[in-house]
Amino acid sequence: MTRPAPEFLWYYVTHDGPYPWEPEGRRDIRLPDVTALASALDRLPYSGALLSTTGHNVWVTGTAAAAVTRDFRPLLALRPQFTSVTELANMAVSFDDLFDGRLLINVINSETPVWRQHGIRLENDERYDLHAEYWEVFNRLVAGETVTYRGRYVDVENARANPWVEPRRDHIPLWFSGSSPKALDVAGRFADAYLTFSEPLDQLNEKTAAVREKAAEHGRSPRIGLRASLITGATDEDAWAKADRLLAATSRATLDRKLGLIAKGGNGGGTSVTQSRVFAHLPAKALDVLRDGGLPAARDLAHDDNLWPGISLLQQGPPMALVGGHDSIAARLKEYHAAGVDIFILDSLPLLEGAYEVAEHILPAFTAP
């Protein structure tokens, strides 16, 4: 049976540029840049975009983007307990009411050092216990309930999302990710969509099967989404030449810092099961060249013809990129779609130019007869 066409979203972060992990490759983003990207995405075949926690606050950026668009759906990356559950429900109901029910929430866990910056001292499994309480109460609040809840992490009495605004719908979609057993358990319970980074197909299938199994225990069936950075061009040679240029433009200080983080198994100073799964695909020989002060070719940091964990040495975002010409990228995305991926969240730098290139040269492969 033919599967429905996938949904495509873009990535939205306010430190754009050809290689924004270095000052000289970063654009100075202002409000006109934020609204220009949103307006472009609203015209292109993207249903919305994931708004990253890096850069401007996602509520601020999301409001700016939603105000100049009609169909664009902002997928806001949020962590629980950084905002009280009652206040977050208020913000969600208010946003959803003013912007025609377009809000989506991407629940993120991050790493221990990030949480400690906000005064929360919980380790990975404890944080997922918090997630379970927080999103249960959140779902009830945005459905219009008055909630009293006594939990270990969430404790509210006669809480309401907003007594003056009637919820536009009884549920704000929650998108989850994470690879640890606790993460998969919580995602199975709450996720409307489950997101994963690009990984080899057998590894991705194993993880998404576990999510579906957990979700089935709760009578649920989340969609599967793939988050992928693209390095692309007219041909495979063009794309790998671009990857070489990105690697060469990256400072030694950035490479050394990233090597240190990779050695720890995290991208934010802590440890991450998801990040470690991808880091394991970095070829040891090429890493040794880097540690000795050399610079390998981009292909030497590849897992296969298209999967490039070398991107983890550069950017803060997805630790695995897809590298290839337009036709190769389209073919690889089709493989993921055939394997059960329903949603793609893509990016290609710079973001505005990349959104047009992908829309014009890759996405038509999914609509061609």
Side-chain angles (χ1 to χ4, degrees):
M1 186 174 69
T2 303
R3 298 189 67 240
E7 179 181 1
F8 291 96
L9 287 82
W10 199 242
Y11 184 58
Y12 207 117
V13 63
T14 54
H15 61 288
D16 193 8
Y19 50 104
W21 51 87
E22 300 293 346
E24 61 271 20
R26 189 180 309 139
R27 290 175 175 169
D28 183 24
I29 299 298
R30 292 290 180 262
L31 183 59
D33 304 291
V34 172
T35 55
L37 179 55
S39 297
L41 296 175
D42 209 31
R43 295 193 303 273
L44 294 170
Y46 305 102
S47 62
L50 168 61
L51 277 64
S52 167
T53 57
T54 308
H56 295 101
N57 178 274
V58 293
W59 285 105
V60 176
T61 309
T63 299
V68 296
T69 55
R70 293 183 59 185
D71 301 313
F72 172 89
R73 294 188 301 159
L75 173 59
L76 304 187
L78 300 169
R79 303 177 185 92
Q81 206 72 341
F82 287 20
T83 303
S84 81
V85 66
T86 308
E87 183 57 22
L88 187 73
N90 178 13
M91 296 163 72
V93 167
S94 299
F95 190 102
D96 216 45
D97 184 58
L98 292 175
F99 296 114
D100 306 317
R102 287 188 271 154
L103 178 64
L104 304 169
I105 291 177
N106 178 36
V107 176
I108 56 175
N109 189 42
S110 297
E111 298 167 23
T112 299
V114 177
W115 287 72
R116 289 183 178 176
Q117 291 171 8
H118 295 265
I120 302 173
R121 294 186 171 271
L122 298 174
E123 297 304 321
N124 185 77
D125 285 1
E126 294 176 300
R127 294 199 296 272
Y128 280 110
D129 290 336
L130 183 156
H131 278 285
E133 294 185 9
Y134 190 95
W135 298 111
E136 177 183 340
V137 174
F138 175 86
N139 283 342
R140 293 172 61 187
L141 288 169
V142 298
E145 287 187 44
T146 299
V147 179
T148 295
Y149 184 96
R150 308 289 189 202
R152 180 178 179 185
Y153 303 101
V154 177
D155 187 341
V156 296
E157 185 174 339
N158 295 324
R160 294 187 63 185
N162 191 320
W164 297 278
V165 177
E166 188 70 22
R168 182 177 285 266
R169 48 189 171 157
D170 63 6
H171 181 64
I172 304 291
L174 300 176
W175 297 25
F176 277 73
S177 58
S179 301
S180 70
K182 276 278 191 178
L184 297 179
D185 185 58
V186 174
R189 181 175 169 187
F190 293 101
D192 297 284
Y194 173 80
L195 303 179
T196 181
F197 290 131
S198 314
E199 293 183 301
L201 268 179
D202 56 347
Q203 192 168 316
L204 181 140
N205 286 336
E206 179 185 353
K207 182 164 64 172
T208 56
V211 171
R212 289 191 175 102
E213 181 179 346
K214 290 290 186 182
E217 294 174 5
H218 300 281
R220 311 184 71 256
S221 180
R223 294 192 296 161
I224 302 298
L226 183 77
R227 171 76 183 95
S229 289
L230 307 182
I231 299 175
T232 190
T235 67
D236 289 348
E237 291 72 22
D238 292 338
W240 282 108
K242 182 177 180 180
D244 278 321
R245 291 194 297 273
L246 293 175
L247 196 57
T250 303
S251 69
R252 190 70 233 180
T254 296
L255 293 172
D256 287 342
R257 178 174 56 83
K258 292 296 250 178
L259 284 168
L261 294 175
I262 288 170
K264 293 180 180 179
N267 211 12
T271 58
S272 165
V273 175
T274 297
Q275 301 280 350
S276 295
R277 283 166 62 95
V278 176
F279 295 157
H281 296 293
L282 280 163
K285 185 175 179 180
L287 288 179
D288 287 341
V289 171
L290 280 167
R291 293 188 185 103
D292 290 340
L295 192 68
R299 282 184 185 268
D300 292 339
L301 288 161
H303 172 68
D304 60 24
D305 288 343
N306 301 115
L307 281 173
W308 194 51
I311 194 74
S312 60
L313 292 158
L314 314 180
Q315 68 179 13
Q316 181 71 18
M320 184 85 83
L322 294 177
V323 181
H326 299 144
D327 291 343
S328 295
I329 295 295
R332 200 63 184 254
L333 294 180
K334 284 186 172 183
E335 287 182 11
Y336 282 119
H337 180 234
V341 171
D342 307 293
I343 306 160
F344 292 99
I345 303 178
L346 306 174
D347 76 79
S348 181
L349 296 171
L351 292 174
L352 180 60
E353 294 91 325
Y356 277 98
E357 180 181 10
V358 171
E360 292 169 0
H361 296 290
I362 295 175
L363 300 195
F366 288 86
T367 56

PDB file of all heavy atoms in Angstrom, residues 45-75:
ATOM      1  N   PRO A  45       6.680  24.880   0.208  1.00  0.00           N
ATOM      2  CA  PRO A  45       5.920  23.688   0.642  1.00  0.00           C
ATOM      3  C   PRO A  45       6.353  23.126   1.992  1.00  0.00           C
ATOM      4  O   PRO A  45       6.576  21.921   2.144  1.00  0.00           O
ATOM      5  CB  PRO A  45       6.187  22.692  -0.492  1.00  0.00           C
ATOM      6  CG  PRO A  45       7.500  23.083  -1.038  1.00  0.00           C
ATOM      7  CD  PRO A  45       7.566  24.578  -0.935  1.00  0.00           C
ATOM      8  N   TYR A  46       6.481  24.019   2.977  1.00  0.00           N
ATOM      9  CA  TYR A  46       6.761  23.608   4.357  1.00  0.00           C
ATOM     10  C   TYR A  46       5.542  23.956   5.197  1.00  0.00           C
ATOM     11  O   TYR A  46       4.969  25.046   5.062  1.00  0.00           O
ATOM     12  CB  TYR A  46       7.986  24.333   4.903  1.00  0.00           C
ATOM     13  CG  TYR A  46       9.234  24.173   4.065  1.00  0.00           C
ATOM     14  CD1 TYR A  46       9.664  25.186   3.214  1.00  0.00           C
ATOM     15  CD2 TYR A  46       9.982  22.997   4.117  1.00  0.00           C
ATOM     16  CE1 TYR A  46      10.802  25.050   2.437  1.00  0.00           C
ATOM     17  CE2 TYR A  46      11.129  22.847   3.337  1.00  0.00           C
ATOM     18  CZ  TYR A  46      11.527  23.877   2.499  1.00  0.00           C
ATOM     19  OH  TYR A  46      12.657  23.729   1.727  1.00  0.00           O
ATOM     20  N   SER A  47       5.164  23.045   6.083  1.00  0.00           N
ATOM     21  CA  SER A  47       3.986  23.313   6.918  1.00  0.00           C
ATOM     22  C   SER A  47       4.323  24.173   8.128  1.00  0.00           C
ATOM     23  O   SER A  47       3.432  24.692   8.793  1.00  0.00           O
ATOM     24  CB  SER A  47       3.361  22.000   7.388  1.00  0.00           C
ATOM     25  OG  SER A  47       4.282  21.268   8.186  1.00  0.00           O
ATOM     26  N   GLY A  48       5.611  24.324   8.428  1.00  0.00           N
ATOM     27  CA  GLY A  48       6.030  25.113   9.584  1.00  0.00           C
ATOM     28  C   GLY A  48       7.519  24.956   9.781  1.00  0.00           C
ATOM     29  O   GLY A  48       8.247  24.586   8.855  1.00  0.00           O
ATOM     30  N   ALA A  49       7.979  25.219  10.997  1.00  0.00           N
ATOM     31  CA  ALA A  49       9.402  25.102  11.294  1.00  0.00           C
ATOM     32  C   ALA A  49       9.610  24.851  12.770  1.00  0.00           C
ATOM     33  O   ALA A  49       8.836  25.310  13.620  1.00  0.00           O
ATOM     34  CB  ALA A  49      10.147  26.374  10.872  1.00  0.00           C
ATOM     35  N   LEU A  50      10.687  24.115  13.057  1.00  0.00           N
ATOM     36  CA  LEU A  50      11.141  23.910  14.431  1.00  0.00           C
ATOM     37  C   LEU A  50      11.964  25.118  14.846  1.00  0.00           C
ATOM     38  O   LEU A  50      12.969  25.446  14.216  1.00  0.00           O
ATOM     39  CB  LEU A  50      11.978  22.638  14.524  1.00  0.00           C
ATOM     40  CG  LEU A  50      12.763  22.411  15.815  1.00  0.00           C
ATOM     41  CD1 LEU A  50      11.834  22.328  17.020  1.00  0.00           C
ATOM     42  CD2 LEU A  50      13.618  21.155  15.708  1.00  0.00           C
ATOM     43  N   LEU A  51      11.542  25.785  15.923  1.00  0.00           N
ATOM     44  CA  LEU A  51      12.249  26.954  16.435  1.00  0.00           C
ATOM     45  C   LEU A  51      13.180  26.525  17.552  1.00  0.00           C
ATOM     46  O   LEU A  51      12.737  26.025  18.580  1.00  0.00           O
ATOM     47  CB  LEU A  51      11.269  28.022  16.931  1.00  0.00           C
ATOM     48  CG  LEU A  51      10.704  28.949  15.842  1.00  0.00           C
ATOM     49  CD1 LEU A  51       9.866  28.183  14.835  1.00  0.00           C
ATOM     50  CD2 LEU A  51       9.874  30.065  16.461  1.00  0.00           C
ATOM     51  N   SER A  52      14.468  26.731  17.335  1.00  0.00           N
ATOM     52  CA  SER A  52      15.492  26.245  18.248  1.00  0.00           C
ATOM     53  C   SER A  52      15.613  27.116  19.492  1.00  0.00           C
ATOM     54  O   SER A  52      15.327  28.316  19.465  1.00  0.00           O
ATOM     55  CB  SER A  52      16.838  26.212  17.519  1.00  0.00           C
ATOM     56  OG  SER A  52      17.905  26.032  18.413  1.00  0.00           O
ATOM     57  N   THR A  53      16.105  26.498  20.574  1.00  0.00           N
ATOM     58  CA  THR A  53      16.386  27.261  21.796  1.00  0.00           C
ATOM     59  C   THR A  53      17.635  28.118  21.652  1.00  0.00           C
ATOM     60  O   THR A  53      17.897  28.976  22.485  1.00  0.00           O
ATOM     61  CB  THR A  53      16.592  26.311  22.986  1.00  0.00           C
ATOM     62  OG1 THR A  53      17.654  25.393  22.678  1.00  0.00           O
ATOM     63  CG2 THR A  53      15.322  25.539  23.288  1.00  0.00           C
ATOM     64  N   THR A  54      18.433  27.872  20.616  1.00  0.00           N
ATOM     65  CA  THR A  54      19.641  28.666  20.392  1.00  0.00           C
ATOM     66  C   THR A  54      19.267  29.967  19.705  1.00  0.00           C
ATOM     67  O   THR A  54      18.577  29.953  18.693  1.00  0.00           O
ATOM     68  CB  THR A  54      20.648  27.886  19.514  1.00  0.00           C
ATOM     69  OG1 THR A  54      20.855  26.602  20.083  1.00  0.00           O
ATOM     70  CG2 THR A  54      21.963  28.629  19.423  1.00  0.00           C
ATOM     71  N   GLY A  55      19.741  31.076  20.230  1.00  0.00           N
ATOM     72  CA  GLY A  55      19.391  32.373  19.660  1.00  0.00           C
ATOM     73  C   GLY A  55      18.311  33.044  20.485  1.00  0.00           C
ATOM     74  O   GLY A  55      18.242  32.898  21.703  1.00  0.00           O
ATOM     75  N   HIS A  56      17.435  33.780  19.814  1.00  0.00           N
ATOM     76  CA  HIS A  56      16.368  34.481  20.519  1.00  0.00           C
ATOM     77  C   HIS A  56      15.374  33.494  21.140  1.00  0.00           C
ATOM     78  O   HIS A  56      15.198  32.375  20.649  1.00  0.00           O
ATOM     79  CB  HIS A  56      15.626  35.425  19.572  1.00  0.00           C
ATOM     80  CG  HIS A  56      16.472  36.550  19.051  1.00  0.00           C
ATOM     81  ND1 HIS A  56      17.025  36.550  17.798  1.00  0.00           N
ATOM     82  CD2 HIS A  56      16.874  37.702  19.634  1.00  0.00           C
ATOM     83  CE1 HIS A  56      17.720  37.648  17.617  1.00  0.00           C
ATOM     84  NE2 HIS A  56      17.652  38.374  18.711  1.00  0.00           N
ATOM     85  N   ASN A  57      14.710  33.924  22.194  1.00  0.00           N
ATOM     86  CA  ASN A  57      13.715  33.101  22.862  1.00  0.00           C
ATOM     87  C   ASN A  57      12.645  32.640  21.872  1.00  0.00           C
ATOM     88  O   ASN A  57      12.169  33.422  21.037  1.00  0.00           O
ATOM     89  CB  ASN A  57      13.075  33.911  24.000  1.00  0.00           C
ATOM     90  CG  ASN A  57      11.993  33.144  24.714  1.00  0.00           C
ATOM     91  OD1 ASN A  57      10.841  33.159  24.290  1.00  0.00           O
ATOM     92  ND2 ASN A  57      12.349  32.477  25.792  1.00  0.00           N
ATOM     93  N   VAL A  58      12.255  31.353  21.962  1.00  0.00           N
ATOM     94  CA  VAL A  58      11.361  30.791  20.954  1.00  0.00           C
ATOM     95  C   VAL A  58       9.974  31.414  20.971  1.00  0.00           C
ATOM     96  O   VAL A  58       9.321  31.510  19.921  1.00  0.00           O
ATOM     97  CB  VAL A  58      11.248  29.255  21.091  1.00  0.00           C
ATOM     98  CG1 VAL A  58      12.561  28.587  20.770  1.00  0.00           C
ATOM     99  CG2 VAL A  58      10.748  28.844  22.464  1.00  0.00           C
ATOM    100  N   TRP A  59       9.484  31.845  22.139  1.00  0.00           N
ATOM    101  CA  TRP A  59       8.177  32.498  22.174  1.00  0.00           C
ATOM    102  C   TRP A  59       8.221  33.832  21.436  1.00  0.00           C
ATOM    103  O   TRP A  59       7.268  34.192  20.726  1.00  0.00           O
ATOM    104  CB  TRP A  59       7.710  32.699  23.609  1.00  0.00           C
ATOM    105  CG  TRP A  59       7.238  31.440  24.269  1.00  0.00           C
ATOM    106  CD1 TRP A  59       7.901  30.711  25.212  1.00  0.00           C
ATOM    107  CD2 TRP A  59       6.008  30.739  24.022  1.00  0.00           C
ATOM    108  NE1 TRP A  59       7.167  29.614  25.575  1.00  0.00           N
ATOM    109  CE2 TRP A  59       5.996  29.597  24.867  1.00  0.00           C
ATOM    110  CE3 TRP A  59       4.919  30.961  23.190  1.00  0.00           C
ATOM    111  CZ2 TRP A  59       4.947  28.696  24.887  1.00  0.00           C
ATOM    112  CZ3 TRP A  59       3.862  30.056  23.210  1.00  0.00           C
ATOM    113  CH2 TRP A  59       3.881  28.941  24.047  1.00  0.00           C
ATOM    114  N   VAL A  60       9.325  34.558  21.594  1.00  0.00           N
ATOM    115  CA  VAL A  60       9.474  35.849  20.912  1.00  0.00           C
ATOM    116  C   VAL A  60       9.566  35.622  19.405  1.00  0.00           C
ATOM    117  O   VAL A  60       8.859  36.271  18.611  1.00  0.00           O
ATOM    118  CB  VAL A  60      10.713  36.589  21.436  1.00  0.00           C
ATOM    119  CG1 VAL A  60      10.932  37.885  20.656  1.00  0.00           C
ATOM    120  CG2 VAL A  60      10.565  36.886  22.928  1.00  0.00           C
ATOM    121  N   THR A  61      10.437  34.700  18.999  1.00  0.00           N
ATOM    122  CA  THR A  61      10.599  34.419  17.577  1.00  0.00           C
ATOM    123  C   THR A  61       9.318  33.843  16.978  1.00  0.00           C
ATOM    124  O   THR A  61       8.903  34.215  15.879  1.00  0.00           O
ATOM    125  CB  THR A  61      11.750  33.422  17.363  1.00  0.00           C
ATOM    126  OG1 THR A  61      12.907  33.890  18.043  1.00  0.00           O
ATOM    127  CG2 THR A  61      12.072  33.289  15.887  1.00  0.00           C
ATOM    128  N   GLY A  62       8.684  32.926  17.709  1.00  0.00           N
ATOM    129  CA  GLY A  62       7.459  32.323  17.215  1.00  0.00           C
ATOM    130  C   GLY A  62       6.347  33.329  17.027  1.00  0.00           C
ATOM    131  O   GLY A  62       5.575  33.257  16.064  1.00  0.00           O
ATOM    132  N   THR A  63       6.234  34.274  17.940  1.00  0.00           N
ATOM    133  CA  THR A  63       5.216  35.325  17.811  1.00  0.00           C
ATOM    134  C   THR A  63       5.497  36.190  16.597  1.00  0.00           C
ATOM    135  O   THR A  63       4.581  36.516  15.816  1.00  0.00           O
ATOM    136  CB  THR A  63       5.188  36.179  19.089  1.00  0.00           C
ATOM    137  OG1 THR A  63       4.853  35.347  20.204  1.00  0.00           O
ATOM    138  CG2 THR A  63       4.166  37.300  18.972  1.00  0.00           C
ATOM    139  N   ALA A  64       6.768  36.571  16.402  1.00  0.00           N
ATOM    140  CA  ALA A  64       7.134  37.382  15.244  1.00  0.00           C
ATOM    141  C   ALA A  64       6.828  36.645  13.946  1.00  0.00           C
ATOM    142  O   ALA A  64       6.325  37.242  12.982  1.00  0.00           O
ATOM    143  CB  ALA A  64       8.613  37.750  15.306  1.00  0.00           C
ATOM    144  N   ALA A  65       7.120  35.349  13.919  1.00  0.00           N
ATOM    145  CA  ALA A  65       6.885  34.563  12.710  1.00  0.00           C
ATOM    146  C   ALA A  65       5.395  34.364  12.450  1.00  0.00           C
ATOM    147  O   ALA A  65       4.920  34.495  11.311  1.00  0.00           O
ATOM    148  CB  ALA A  65       7.585  33.213  12.828  1.00  0.00           C
ATOM    149  N   ALA A  66       4.645  34.035  13.486  1.00  0.00           N
ATOM    150  CA  ALA A  66       3.211  33.778  13.314  1.00  0.00           C
ATOM    151  C   ALA A  66       2.454  35.032  12.901  1.00  0.00           C
ATOM    152  O   ALA A  66       1.451  34.955  12.187  1.00  0.00           O
ATOM    153  CB  ALA A  66       2.622  33.218  14.605  1.00  0.00           C
ATOM    154  N   ALA A  67       2.935  36.199  13.332  1.00  0.00           N
ATOM    155  CA  ALA A  67       2.235  37.452  13.054  1.00  0.00           C
ATOM    156  C   ALA A  67       2.280  37.845  11.578  1.00  0.00           C
ATOM    157  O   ALA A  67       1.443  38.636  11.123  1.00  0.00           O
ATOM    158  CB  ALA A  67       2.825  38.580  13.909  1.00  0.00           C
ATOM    159  N   VAL A  68       3.241  37.308  10.824  1.00  0.00           N
ATOM    160  CA  VAL A  68       3.364  37.702   9.413  1.00  0.00           C
ATOM    161  C   VAL A  68       3.011  36.556   8.472  1.00  0.00           C
ATOM    162  O   VAL A  68       3.278  36.628   7.275  1.00  0.00           O
ATOM    163  CB  VAL A  68       4.788  38.221   9.101  1.00  0.00           C
ATOM    164  CG1 VAL A  68       5.083  39.486   9.892  1.00  0.00           C
ATOM    165  CG2 VAL A  68       5.847  37.152   9.360  1.00  0.00           C
ATOM    166  N   THR A  69       2.414  35.478   9.016  1.00  0.00           N
ATOM    167  CA  THR A  69       2.085  34.311   8.198  1.00  0.00           C
ATOM    168  C   THR A  69       0.642  33.890   8.425  1.00  0.00           C
ATOM    169  O   THR A  69       0.006  34.298   9.396  1.00  0.00           O
ATOM    170  CB  THR A  69       3.019  33.129   8.538  1.00  0.00           C
ATOM    171  OG1 THR A  69       2.950  32.859   9.950  1.00  0.00           O
ATOM    172  CG2 THR A  69       4.459  33.443   8.159  1.00  0.00           C
ATOM    173  N   ARG A  70       0.153  33.038   7.521  1.00  0.00           N
ATOM    174  CA  ARG A  70      -1.224  32.553   7.634  1.00  0.00           C
ATOM    175  C   ARG A  70      -1.283  31.066   7.986  1.00  0.00           C
ATOM    176  O   ARG A  70      -2.137  30.638   8.755  1.00  0.00           O
ATOM    177  CB  ARG A  70      -1.967  32.778   6.315  1.00  0.00           C
ATOM    178  CG  ARG A  70      -2.198  34.240   5.972  1.00  0.00           C
ATOM    179  CD  ARG A  70      -2.987  34.382   4.697  1.00  0.00           C
ATOM    180  NE  ARG A  70      -4.286  33.711   4.792  1.00  0.00           N
ATOM    181  CZ  ARG A  70      -5.139  33.603   3.775  1.00  0.00           C
ATOM    182  NH1 ARG A  70      -4.819  34.088   2.582  1.00  0.00           N
ATOM    183  NH2 ARG A  70      -6.296  33.008   3.937  1.00  0.00           N
ATOM    184  N   ASP A  71      -0.393  30.266   7.406  1.00  0.00           N
ATOM    185  CA  ASP A  71      -0.444  28.816   7.585  1.00  0.00           C
ATOM    186  C   ASP A  71       0.745  28.262   8.354  1.00  0.00           C
ATOM    187  O   ASP A  71       0.683  27.133   8.844  1.00  0.00           O
ATOM    188  CB  ASP A  71      -0.514  28.119   6.219  1.00  0.00           C
ATOM    189  CG  ASP A  71      -1.728  28.545   5.422  1.00  0.00           C
ATOM    190  OD1 ASP A  71      -2.834  28.566   6.007  1.00  0.00           O
ATOM    191  OD2 ASP A  71      -1.584  28.871   4.231  1.00  0.00           O
ATOM    192  N   PHE A  72       1.825  29.005   8.426  1.00  0.00           N
ATOM    193  CA  PHE A  72       3.060  28.590   9.087  1.00  0.00           C
ATOM    194  C   PHE A  72       2.791  28.171  10.533  1.00  0.00           C
ATOM    195  O   PHE A  72       2.199  28.916  11.313  1.00  0.00           O
ATOM    196  CB  PHE A  72       4.035  29.765   9.059  1.00  0.00           C
ATOM    197  CG  PHE A  72       5.291  29.571   9.857  1.00  0.00           C
ATOM    198  CD1 PHE A  72       6.401  28.989   9.278  1.00  0.00           C
ATOM    199  CD2 PHE A  72       5.374  29.983  11.182  1.00  0.00           C
ATOM    200  CE1 PHE A  72       7.576  28.828  10.005  1.00  0.00           C
ATOM    201  CE2 PHE A  72       6.538  29.829  11.912  1.00  0.00           C
ATOM    202  CZ  PHE A  72       7.638  29.241  11.324  1.00  0.00           C
ATOM    203  N   ARG A  73       3.223  26.954  10.891  1.00  0.00           N
ATOM    204  CA  ARG A  73       3.027  26.448  12.252  1.00  0.00           C
ATOM    205  C   ARG A  73       4.362  26.428  12.987  1.00  0.00           C
ATOM    206  O   ARG A  73       5.259  25.665  12.622  1.00  0.00           O
ATOM    207  CB  ARG A  73       2.418  25.040  12.218  1.00  0.00           C
ATOM    208  CG  ARG A  73       1.006  25.000  11.647  1.00  0.00           C
ATOM    209  CD  ARG A  73       0.386  23.633  11.814  1.00  0.00           C
ATOM    210  NE  ARG A  73       1.180  22.605  11.139  1.00  0.00           N
ATOM    211  CZ  ARG A  73       1.130  21.310  11.426  1.00  0.00           C
ATOM    212  NH1 ARG A  73       0.351  20.877  12.404  1.00  0.00           N
ATOM    213  NH2 ARG A  73       1.865  20.443  10.757  1.00  0.00           N
ATOM    214  N   PRO A  74       4.521  27.239  14.015  1.00  0.00           N
ATOM    215  CA  PRO A  74       5.763  27.216  14.783  1.00  0.00           C
ATOM    216  C   PRO A  74       5.799  26.035  15.749  1.00  0.00           C
ATOM    217  O   PRO A  74       4.878  25.835  16.549  1.00  0.00           O
ATOM    218  CB  PRO A  74       5.741  28.548  15.534  1.00  0.00           C
ATOM    219  CG  PRO A  74       4.294  28.890  15.655  1.00  0.00           C
ATOM    220  CD  PRO A  74       3.597  28.278  14.471  1.00  0.00           C
ATOM    221  N   LEU A  75       6.846  25.244  15.645  1.00  0.00           N
ATOM    222  CA  LEU A  75       7.096  24.124  16.553  1.00  0.00           C
ATOM    223  C   LEU A  75       8.130  24.618  17.563  1.00  0.00           C
ATOM    224  O   LEU A  75       9.322  24.675  17.255  1.00  0.00           O
ATOM    225  CB  LEU A  75       7.602  22.909  15.767  1.00  0.00           C
ATOM    226  CG  LEU A  75       8.071  21.682  16.547  1.00  0.00           C
ATOM    227  CD1 LEU A  75       6.965  21.124  17.427  1.00  0.00           C
ATOM    228  CD2 LEU A  75       8.595  20.609  15.586  1.00  0.00           C
TER     229      LEU A  75
END
